[in-house]
Amino acid sequence: MVKHTATSVVTIERFIIEQERLYPHATGDLSAILYDLGVAAKMIANKVRSAGLADILGSAEKENIQGEVQQKLDIIANEIIVKAMDHGGRLCGMGSEEEEDMIHIPDRFKRGKYVLLFDPLDGSSNIDVNVPVGTIFSVLHKVSEGERAVLADMLQPGYEQVAAGYVIYGASTMLVYTTGQGAHGFTLDPSIGEFLLSHPHIRIPETGRYLSVNDSYSQMWNEPTRALMRYYRGLDGTREAMSVRYVGSLVADFHRNLLGGGLFAYPANTSNPQGKLRLQYEANPLAFIVEQAGGAATDGHRRIVDLKPTSLHQRTPLFIGSLHDVEAAKRILGDSVAEEVGA
Ligand code: P6P
């Protein structure tokens, strides 16, 4: 495979095809899925960019599965992805963080051998205040018999993912993805409408500078979690204090830590004993990416990608980022999380 540098002018389409050549038996279906996701990302970026202009701000009445009031852009982003992906003939089904049930491929379209899970617009509650938001996606092989997807196809552990990625709609629009051959970042050049390779072979620093956690829950954490946060802050004298950077938008916090080194933590707490973030739509895809960049992801006790999902919208505690900082979470939390999450 060509070893590109950040100064090479390489479109995402060309990069995907070059990566496909690493797999002699590749049919091109996964490449087509990634290409189509890039198109959907450009369409969503357009909507997000103009959110402040058109009267699509504010929250739609319709409630989503999480009981959160949906921002209209959530609904639009969800529909953009479904419409971009449902007729390509590569998917047998989809799961969206915004939809309670599986999304089936209409009978008029050919079905394929992959399943797509996605969070169409994570952090959307930040849209009205112009804070970066993101799309997260995960691709799995169909494992069930027959043409149609069944729940078992969606409830595979994270180590079965064949691809994962996210798009961050920030100062610039970036798409970061992996197919197991490293994590690579592409920046959208709006003047030509192309994602160009800007961050080949991303490597996350082994020890982080930044700690991303919402401290307002500290009274609801168990004691090992509080001890862990004292460690990260250097209050127990065993490490240099980390700088706290918390945007409240997972993709924004994760992306900064991926490039600069850091640890994002959303621990279990008494109001969210299973954690807040979704295993299949957020934790697993980001865990695949961070491990490909030399980092790690845990629920405090087990590797995120080893967790066996039991429901489509299941939540998990999440500690993700620089390797040494994640190892500290496992060391200090030990078995406490196992009790919390009923392991
Ligand atoms: P809190 C946004 O709603 C989100 O799902 C993630 O993007 C973000 O990391 C987290 O929730 C923020 O949660 O409880 O700190 O507001």
Side-chain angles (χ1 to χ4, degrees), residues 258-278:
L258 181 71
L259 298 188
L263 189 284
F264 173 93
Y266 207 106
N269 61 53
T270 47
S271 72
N272 281 311
Q274 304 302 326
K276 173 182 183 183
L277 299 174
R278 291 80 170 180

Side-chain angles (χ1 to χ4, degrees), residues 28-42:
D29 283 354
L30 182 58
S31 297
I33 289 169
L34 294 169
Y35 175 77
D36 290 345
L37 283 167
V39 173
K42 287 186 247 185

Side-chain angles (χ1 to χ4, degrees), residues 49 66 72 98 110 149 188-189 231 237 256 298 317:
R49 285 271 161 277
Q66 317 302 342
K72 286 179 186 170
E98 295 295 341
K110 177 174 168 286
L188 181 64
D189 178 341
Y231 162 79
R256 182 205 47 249
T298 177

Side-chain angles (χ1 to χ4, degrees), residues 68 122-126 214 217 246 248-251 253 264 266 276-278 282:
E68 297 155 359
D122 183 84
S124 59
S125 54
N126 293 290
N214 185 339
Y217 302 119
Y246 190 71
S249 178
L250 172 61
V251 171
D253 281 317
F264 173 93
Y266 207 106
K276 173 182 183 183
L277 299 174
R278 291 80 170 180
E282 292 159 328

Side-chain angles (χ1 to χ4, degrees), residues 2 10 36-37 45 81 90 104 134 136 145-146 160 184 201 213 249 265 269 326 332 341:
V2 176
V10 179
D36 290 345
L37 283 167
I81 294 174
R90 280 90 187 193
H104 291 284
I136 308 170
E145 297 301 317
E160 294 289 4
H184 311 282
H201 300 282
V213 68
S249 178
N269 61 53
V326 174
I332 295 172
V341 297

Side-chain angles (χ1 to χ4, degrees), residues 46-59 71-73 76 127-128:
N46 258 339
K47 294 292 182 188
V48 170
R49 285 271 161 277
S50 55
L53 307 173
D55 180 31
I56 54 174
L57 287 182
S59 51
Q71 300 291 333
K72 286 179 186 170
L73 271 178
I76 293 171
I127 288 170
D128 286 0

